[in-house]
Each structure stands twice: as C-alpha cells, then as structure tokens.
Amino acid sequence: MNTDTLNTTPAKHKDFKFAEGELLLVNKPYEWTSFDVVGKLRNSFKPLKLKVGHAGTLDPLATGLLIICTGKMTKQIDSFQAEEKEYTGTMVLGAITPSYDMETEANETFDTSNLTDEQLRNACVQFTGDIQQYPPAHSAIKIDGERLYEKARRGEEVELRLRSVTISEFEITRIALPEVDFRVVCSKGTYIRSLVHDFGKSLNNGAYLSKLTRTRSGSFKLADAWEVMDLVQVIRAESAKPKAESL
C-alpha cells in the first residue's frame, strides 16, 4: 500500500485533521484490550462524535503497535489489517495452558532437561512458510455470533477449524530454559499463541506464550507509535480549539 499521502506521522506538533481522517500509531498497553484503546481515544473526542476504529486486534496480554483510524480513514482499515505483521516475544517451555498464554494456569507440565539449543532452532524450520494452525479456544473468533473465549470461559467445548497462514520468518533470539525469546514475521490472521503451542508439541514437550509485542504492521513501526495517554492529551487539546481551527 502506498502510504506517502496518508497522515501517519506521529510527530508531537503536527496539525491533525481527525474528522477528515487520520491514521494513528499507538503502543497498546499491557492488559488493555484493543477495544479499550479505541474507547479511550473515542471518548477523548467528546463532545464531538467521531468514528474511530482499529486494524489488527492484539490480545490483552500483548503489547505493541496498534493502528487506529479516525474519520474517513476508517474505510482503509481492512487494507491495513491485511498487511504483514512482525512480533517479538517470549515462550515458556515445559508446560501448556488452556489459553496458550498466561491468562490461564498450566494444566500439564513436561521435563525440559533433554532439550538442546540445536533442537529448538531446528524446530523453527517446520513452521516457516505456508502452514495450517488451529486458533486458540480462548480467541476472539466468532461462532454463531459469540466469541470463542466466551464459550471457553464457561467450559463449553468449541469446534476449532484449521486456518492457513504464512510465516515468513521465525527465529530464536535467546535461549534460557525454560524461557525462549523469538521473532516472527507473519501474515494476517496468524495466532502467535497457537504457533508457540504447536512449537512445543513438535518437540514432544509443551510451550505457552508469556510475552508478546507487535513491532511492525506493514511499513508502520512501533518505534513511531504514541503512548496512549500522550495521544489523549493531544486529542483533548485539539478538541478544545475553536471549531474553525480544530479537527
């Protein structure tokens, strides 16, 4: 996508035109949902009612780059959402959890003493390229109008369907068992929790995600993102300007 003409510069003194349409890069805080971020920013525009949306949901326990669109730019959300993503994270070997991350407690453990650095690095190869994965039962995918995580939290069985995704790069960046750091470049719709879970299974072991940060989406980088409350202050200042000058 050609982004040369879009309002995407996160400079602190740029002239925003939120109603006309802005693309904003935000660093999603830990334990916030993506919808929490959208809601916080939307409320900052009050009393003006302004359309605000996000491209590419992040789990509550993940942090990092979230693309926020306002006004007419919300029409481009699907295009931004379809772009390649890059993540860094940490997995814990030797255990699995029902949610594939730290949202739930470990329900099975494994011995990691026989795992070698070579085994871990070699295991990445089979998860590079076009692969298929099941989404976690604790995910935001809707079935019959209800999120999977809502069913999972009630203890209901859910039917998971394989999804085709592409992993362009998957590398181990640090090994300090039981922790393993990694970097992933992947297509839209990839569940890093599922990737980590399947990685553990491939070693006849277990693994769950303990940390995840989205560092890039398409050509947009986390390094250029706003902290949420800094952006809120800017929006409130812009919203307080006389009507002819603001938004």
Side-chain angles (χ1 to χ4, degrees):
M1 173 181 294
N2 183 359
T3 59
D4 293 343
T5 60
L6 299 180
N7 278 326
T8 60
T9 306
K12 298 298 186 263
H13 301 290
K14 68 171 286 185
D15 294 324
F16 286 107
K17 294 179 174 59
F18 293 115
E20 291 183 19
E22 290 282 352
L23 184 149
L24 305 166
L25 309 181
V26 176
N27 181 15
K28 189 194 81 66
Y30 183 69
E31 293 188 327
W32 285 45
T33 68
S34 300
F35 298 104
D36 287 338
V37 176
V38 170
K40 187 71 174 178
L41 297 181
R42 184 184 289 121
N43 287 338
S44 301
F45 288 110
K46 288 182 176 179
L48 183 73
K49 292 183 178 180
L50 190 61
K51 197 170 185 179
V52 183
H54 73 279
T57 300
L58 281 171
D59 290 332
L61 300 187
T63 61
L65 182 62
L66 190 65
I67 294 177
I68 303 292
C69 296
T70 74
K72 296 177 182 178
M73 191 61 71
T74 56
K75 295 178 181 179
Q76 303 295 324
I77 282 178
D78 287 346
S79 297
F80 294 125
Q81 197 160 280
E83 295 185 330
E84 180 181 76
K85 311 292 192 298
E86 183 170 349
Y87 300 87
T88 60
T90 301
M91 68 176 92
V92 177
L93 276 292
I96 57 175
T97 73
S99 60
Y100 299 176
D101 64 4
M102 293 174 55
E103 182 183 333
T104 54
E105 296 291 328
N107 58 356
E108 191 172 354
T109 59
F110 305 82
D111 179 20
T112 62
S113 62
N114 62 334
L115 295 178
T116 67
D117 290 7
E118 184 179 15
Q119 284 177 307
L120 297 175
R121 298 187 190 283
N122 289 342
C124 292
V125 177
Q126 63 185 287
F127 295 102
T128 304
D130 297 328
I131 67 169
Q132 289 192 312
Q133 62 175 201
Y134 286 104
H138 290 249
S139 66
I141 294 174
K142 282 187 176 181
I143 292 183
D144 298 328
E146 188 174 25
R147 305 283 184 187
L148 280 183
Y149 64 75
E150 293 171 342
K151 294 177 179 287
R153 287 169 182 168
R154 292 198 302 267
E156 296 180 17
E157 291 290 330
V158 294
E159 181 184 354
L160 302 177
R161 298 175 184 174
L162 279 171
R163 297 157 62 97
S164 297
V165 298
T166 301
I167 309 293
S168 302
E169 299 179 49
F170 182 23
E171 64 171 341
I172 302 299
T173 57
R174 180 184 70 100
I175 300 174
L177 289 175
E179 289 190 347
V180 176
D181 291 352
F182 62 88
R183 184 182 72 89
V184 173
V185 178
C186 58
S187 66
K188 167 194 173 182
T190 302
Y191 276 94
I192 308 301
R193 284 183 288 152
S194 292
L195 177 64
V196 165
H197 179 80
D198 293 343
F199 181 86
K201 286 176 64 176
S202 74
L203 296 165
N204 295 315
N205 209 280
Y208 65 88
L209 186 65
S210 64
K211 183 178 180 181
L212 185 67
T213 300
R214 182 189 288 158
T215 57
R216 179 175 64 83
S217 181
S219 61
F220 303 109
K221 298 179 181 180
L222 176 60
D224 297 322
W226 291 86
E227 296 302 320
V228 174
M229 296 314 298
D230 289 343
L231 184 55
V232 164
Q233 290 179 5
V234 170
I235 291 172
R236 287 174 176 168
E238 290 290 318
S239 300
K241 290 180 179 179
K243 204 166 190 179
E245 300 177 20
S246 65
L247 303 181

